[in-house]
Structure formats: structure tokens, C-alpha cells
Amino acid sequence: MKTTLTLLALFAAMSAQAQSSAPALWPTIPFVRGADLCQYQDAYSRSRSSLMREMGAQVKELVFLGATPEEALVPLVVIDSLISKNRALAAGGPGWDVTLEAAIKSSLDQMMREAAPRVRKIGFFNPGSVLDLLNNLREQRQRGPLDVRMLSRVSGVAWGTYSFASGCRGDIVLTVHVELRSGETFSFSGSGLPETAAHMVANRMFNAFQTTRFPSDVLLNSKRLTLVGTPAGPVTHAPTPADAERACVSMNARLPSAEEYEQLSMLGDWSGGVSLKHDIWVLAGGKVLAPDLRNPSPIRSVDEVRGQDLHFYCVR
């Protein structure tokens, strides 16, 4: 309940602020614990009669070894109690919030360092002072009281849920939801051991925010180029170059030149460009760009790449 009230207060304060251009989220990720699917499966995967038969078989085995029926029940009850107690200890406490948040942030930061994009489009921002942070750490809390002035300096908030997965092997089901000032909402999920699930969520967050969006503007040779996409989405393929050209004309746009394709590919998918990969790309005039066929030139006729998909996107 406390976490839910904190989230509501955070959303209310954010909605009162002006749109922020900074791609930064509130520095902590509140988590709400969901249903324990392990306990659910353990309780409902077998009928009451089958559980009684299993318990009866265990009692009979102990009696066969020399115990009285009363003595045989004691260790079974104690073991069952210890299992329940250990599960409660493992699942309880505030440590899960800290563990999951730290794992997601560290995985996301590692991906950023490895990709080295020109602009980070997702991250976490601490609007408070270092002294506030140290005081919160000393008191073992993630964040102090909400401050509207601090909220005005972030562009969104992330919150999540976790639950213990069925199978009772230590796996969790993890979700993270990102709410931006613009009203956009993104949801990401992962499952497996806690560190695996957190890495999956971080990877999906990275791809969703860092991948080039359409439409978007980019500077090439000191000129602004708008990546429009296609009528069917960001990047698609066409049966013929003529079909691709007509699709771009319908959007008041054109196909990129070979030089533009190459330069945008050098920017990469994480810095506002589009990687060529090993695909065939449509050029104006019925030609195509084949990045894997550079000798003598990557600009080829359609007949030379017959049978392969012809990819394209539009620019203006």
C-alpha cells in the first residue's frame, strides 16, 4: 500500500510539470510484489486427495521403520513448517526492491557503455544533492520525501512488479513500466533467475528507447535529413524498386542515396542511423545498394541480387 501511494503521488506531481526534454527517469524504481506463483502451483497443482495419499505413504514408511504413527507425524509437520518459514524469509524484506533496481540499472549502463551512442535516450537522473543521497543510504532507504521541484527535472518514472515463478526453482517474473510526461507508456518483462530477468528487462528497455525512431532528424554533411520511414513502418521491403519509390512519393519523401544509406549506417541503430547489416537496399532509378558486394561497386542492378528482399525507408 505504501508503494502504491508513493507511485500515485509521483504521477500526480509529474503531471503538473511542463514537458522536459531530458531523457532521464526518477532515480529509483519502486516495485510492487505480485502473487507467488510458486506457492500457487504448490497448493493447486495437486488435488487434496493426492496430497493426503502422499502424506499417508510417508507416514507408512516411517511406521515401517519402527516409528509410532504419532512419532511419524512429528518430523513431517516440522519439515513442512521449516519449508514455509524459509520461503517466507527468502521472499520477505525490502531487499528485493534494491536488488532488482541495482541489477536493471547496472545492466542498462553496461549496454550503454558497450554501444557508446552519441546521445543516451534512456537513463536515471538524481535531482537531489549528494548529501541527500548519502543520508538516504545511511538510513537504508531508496529516496526521501517527494519534492515537486525535483520532479520537474526528470522526464518520467519507472516502476515494476515481481512475482515468484511457477516451478519453484528460484525464478521470478519481472515487469517494468515506464511512464513519460508525454503520456507514453512502455512495458517490459523478463523471467528467470533474478539477475537474468533484470538483464532481459534492461536489454528490452535499451532497444525500445535507444533504437532510431521514425520520424526523426539527423545532420548529414551539415544538412538536416528527416528519416520518415515507410507507409508500413520504420523499415520494410518492396517487390520492386519502383514500388519502393512510389511508396516514398506517397509520403512526400524520397529514397536515400547510396551515400546517405552508408552514412546513416555508420551512425548505427543506437545513434540516430539505420544499420545496413547484410540486406539489399533500394536506390532511385531501379538500382540497389548491396553492402556485401563492393567489388567493383556496391551499387547493382536488381538482376544481380534476384531472389533477395529489397529493403528501404524514406527520407526528405
Side-chain angles (χ1 to χ4, degrees):
M1 178 62 71
K2 182 178 179 181
T3 303
T4 303
L5 292 175
T6 301
L7 286 171
L8 291 174
L10 189 57
F11 292 145
M14 284 179 55
S15 64
Q17 303 302 317
Q19 174 74 26
S20 172
S21 60
L25 303 177
W26 184 253
T28 58
I29 308 176
F31 280 95
V32 178
R33 180 179 169 183
D36 190 333
L37 301 180
C38 168
Q39 294 281 30
Y40 177 85
Q41 183 187 39
D42 193 43
Y44 292 101
S45 61
R46 293 172 294 175
S47 66
R48 182 182 296 271
S49 59
S50 66
L51 290 172
M52 293 296 292
R53 284 196 299 270
E54 182 180 326
M55 182 71 74
Q58 292 173 341
V59 171
K60 288 180 181 179
E61 186 175 348
L62 290 173
V63 170
F64 177 77
L65 294 174
T68 65
E70 292 78 11
E71 292 173 335
L73 285 173
V74 173
L76 297 179
V77 172
V78 171
I79 291 173
D80 184 70
S81 176
L82 286 174
I83 291 174
S84 298
K85 180 180 178 180
N86 288 336
R87 284 183 176 176
L89 289 173
W96 276 99
D97 287 37
V98 177
T99 298
L100 295 175
E101 177 186 320
I104 291 171
K105 285 183 175 180
S106 61
S107 292
L108 184 60
D109 198 53
Q110 181 180 352
M111 294 172 196
M112 287 291 182
R113 289 195 301 270
E114 292 175 353
R118 293 196 305 176
V119 177
R120 289 194 176 198
K121 299 178 182 178
I122 180 68
F124 296 87
F125 175 68
N126 179 19
S129 66
V130 175
L131 180 60
D132 291 336
L133 175 62
L134 291 175
N135 286 332
N136 289 331
L137 291 174
R138 288 183 61 185
E139 297 177 16
Q140 295 189 359
R141 62 185 183 186
Q142 290 177 285
R143 180 60 46 190
L146 295 177
D147 188 326
V148 173
R149 291 172 299 177
M150 291 184 179
L151 289 171
S152 66
R153 300 173 62 187
V154 298
S155 55
V157 61
W159 65 279
T161 67
Y162 70 93
S163 59
F164 297 99
S166 58
C168 302
R169 298 179 180 273
D171 293 348
I172 64 170
V173 178
L174 178 65
T175 67
V176 170
H177 312 276
V178 177
E179 309 273 353
L180 300 181
R181 292 185 185 279
S182 62
E184 290 182 282
T185 301
F186 301 84
S187 296
F188 311 95
S189 64
S191 60
L193 293 174
E195 62 272 21
T196 302
H199 182 79
M200 290 173 64
V201 167
N203 183 63
R204 288 166 180 169
M205 290 176 66
F206 177 85
N207 288 328
F209 284 95
Q210 203 63 44
T211 302
T212 300
R213 293 190 179 188
F214 293 78
S216 62
D217 294 335
V218 64
L219 284 177
L220 290 183
N221 299 324
S222 301
K223 295 182 180 179
R224 190 185 75 170
L225 186 71
T226 300
L227 280 63
V228 180
T230 74
V235 177
T236 188
H237 54 268
T240 67
D243 290 323
E245 284 197 76
R246 282 193 292 269
C248 289
V249 170
S250 71
M251 302 177 70
N252 295 319
R254 61 175 176 82
L255 290 168
S257 65
E259 181 182 5
E260 288 169 340
Y261 271 129
E262 296 278 12
Q263 290 179 330
L264 288 167
S265 182
M266 285 189 286
L267 284 177
D269 295 316
W270 316 131
S271 295
V274 180
S275 297
L276 292 177
K277 302 182 178 68
H278 301 286
D279 297 327
I280 306 299
W281 299 85
V282 180
L283 296 170
K287 297 292 186 179
V288 297
L289 177 68
D292 291 343
L293 303 175
R294 294 190 174 274
N295 188 14
S297 169
I299 300 176
R300 302 297 180 101
S301 67
V302 177
D303 291 336
E304 294 179 89
V305 294
R306 189 179 299 277
Q308 300 190 51
D309 289 334
L310 305 179
H311 294 76
F312 77 99
Y313 56 90
C314 308
V315 299
R316 70 164 69 99

